[in-house]
Amino acid sequence: HSISIPLASPLTSRDIRTLYQDRYAGEPLVRITGEPPLVRNISGNHGIEIGGFGVHSGGKRVVVCVTIDNLLKGAATQAAQNMNLALGYAEFEGIPLAGRTGR
């Protein structure tokens, strides 16, 4: 998926990436990349990749690309997270985090 977002003030793609890295630091199911994420990199994994931060030449609009395995993070993993939280378990209980790489 790609998302086009208007910016209140001019920013660079590096600024946007840093904002995302800061916001999602410590989130084991979120990976921020500099390049647009590829389906083959996320397929079969519990999580999401966000990247490919493209800023318009005027600096007032950014496009962000997101890749998710919707059979895992989009449905099964989200359901497990919600159930864990509702029942008082740790958020990631029973969700395999192995294989997730850092930022």
Side-chain angles (χ1 to χ4, degrees), residues 2-66:
S2 61
I3 306 158
S4 178
I5 306 166
L7 299 171
S9 60
L11 295 170
T12 67
S13 60
R14 183 175 298 253
D15 295 334
I16 302 294
R17 182 178 177 183
T18 299
L19 288 170
Y20 274 80
Q21 286 173 325
D22 291 347
R23 168 59 184 89
Y24 292 105
E27 290 290 341
L29 298 176
V30 179
R31 182 169 181 260
I32 308 300
T33 68
E35 300 298 318
L38 301 173
V39 172
R40 71 174 179 240
N41 294 341
I42 195 74
S43 180
N45 287 299
H46 299 271
I48 184 171
E49 285 191 7
I50 304 170
F53 305 99
V55 177
H56 183 270
S57 60
K60 292 255 185 170
R61 181 167 289 279
V62 64
V63 173
V64 178
C65 299
V66 179

